[in-house]
Amino acid sequence: ETGVTQTPRHLVMGMTNKKSLKCEQHLGHNAMYWYKQSAKKPLELMFVYSLEERVENNSVPSRFSPECPNSSHLFLHLHTLQPEDSALYLCASSQERATDTQYFGPGTRLTVL
Amino acid sequence: KNQVEQSPQSLIILEGKNCTLQCNYTVSPFSNLRWYKQDTGRGPVSLTIMTFSENTKSNGRYTATLDADTKQSSLHITASQLSDSASYICVVSAETGGFKTIFGAGTRLFVKA
């Protein structure tokens, strides 16, 4: 285990639903990340939090809303998603922001109908 | 434009054989390069991390090399095992006042008995 957990592991939702993805890290890290991984595409960085403050948002649509209540927890709130948002959503953490090695969770496989 | 290109896209080898995966990058200014292993349906796991001054780094049967002049890296796998079947992702970070991390699309390795 990498010390980063994600729930749920699988999620199927309709385009009008509202759901949330949860990530928790037990490594004492200060930075947390959300990534999207679509089939046969590189990982796409969505959001970066450092010491609970959002420091990077890579032009992600507003239907994805992150929340970082403390340095151990990270949420991704989803609403009115599109079928093309179906992907594996990965959470990661690192000791500090920037160039430290990131430790990934197992991901949430999201399917939008 | 910052890019990370990996080759081949996929590779099939017999158990026990060696193989080498390639990574070319144009990321600048270079900070570090990492190789990750990602099993199907799971999050990536870090294998090696190299900074500008490092030419080679090993992790068991995995050996990564870095040529910062030609902006190339390779990951050599010795005496492959069935459990080596996975995607191998090259990740390059740039120091740009903040930071920027670019992920390659990965090489899908299949090890056959």
Side-chain angles (χ1 to χ4, degrees), chain B residues 39-108:
Chain B
D39 293 314
T40 301
R42 304 187 70 172
V45 175
S46 179
L47 294 175
T48 63
I49 177 170
M50 288 184 292
T51 58
F52 184 87
S53 59
E54 296 176 292
N55 300 120
T56 184
K57 184 162 284 188
S58 293
N59 179 358
R61 294 179 295 103
Y62 301 101
T63 300
T65 64
L66 174 65
D67 186 334
D69 292 329
T70 61
K71 298 186 177 181
Q72 295 179 327
S73 175
S74 65
L75 180 69
H76 186 74
I77 304 175
T78 304
S80 62
Q81 300 176 358
L82 298 178
S83 60
D84 291 331
S85 295
S87 289
Y88 291 85
I89 304 171
C90 176
V91 183
V92 183
S93 293
E95 287 286 0
T96 58
F99 86 102
K100 195 162 188 68
T101 298
I102 312 297
F103 284 75
T107 292
R108 189 75 176 92

Side-chain angles (χ1 to χ4, degrees), chain A residues 72-92:
Chain A
S72 299
H73 293 86
L74 185 64
F75 295 89
L76 187 63
H77 304 299
L78 317 171
H79 63 97
T80 60
L81 294 191
Q82 304 297 312
E84 59 264 29
D85 295 323
S86 298
L88 180 68
Y89 288 85
L90 290 160
C91 173

Side-chain angles (χ1 to χ4, degrees), chain A:
Chain A
E1 293 296 324
T2 61
V4 180
T5 58
Q6 290 186 243
T7 56
R9 294 294 308 276
H10 301 273
L11 178 63
V12 180
M13 60 186 289
M15 290 190 286
T16 59
N17 291 158
K18 290 184 180 181
K19 297 287 184 182
S20 295
L21 309 185
K22 179 182 177 182
C23 175
E24 184 173 359
Q25 59 98 359
H26 312 276
L27 302 169
H29 289 167
N30 292 319
M32 297 187 76
Y33 313 77
W34 277 118
Y35 288 90
K36 176 184 179 182
Q37 188 173 37
S38 302
K40 299 183 180 179
K41 287 187 178 181
L43 279 162
E44 300 173 52
L45 179 63
M46 300 175 71
F47 300 103
V48 181
Y49 276 83
S50 177
L51 296 173
E52 303 150 45
E53 180 180 336
R54 188 161 77 187
V55 295
E56 188 166 333
N57 173 359
N58 280 1
S59 303
V60 178
S62 60
R63 57 185 184 269
F64 295 93
S65 175
E67 178 189 0
C68 188
N70 55 63
S71 59
S72 299
H73 293 86
L74 185 64
F75 295 89
L76 187 63
H77 304 299
L78 317 171
H79 63 97
T80 60
L81 294 191
Q82 304 297 312
E84 59 264 29
D85 295 323
S86 298
L88 180 68
Y89 288 85
L90 290 160
C91 173
S93 71
S94 65
Q95 183 60 51
E96 302 293 340
R97 191 169 60 91
T99 56
D100 283 349
T101 297
Q102 295 176 23
Y103 294 82
F104 285 82
T108 294
R109 173 66 64 185
L110 173 67
T111 302
V112 181
L113 302 177

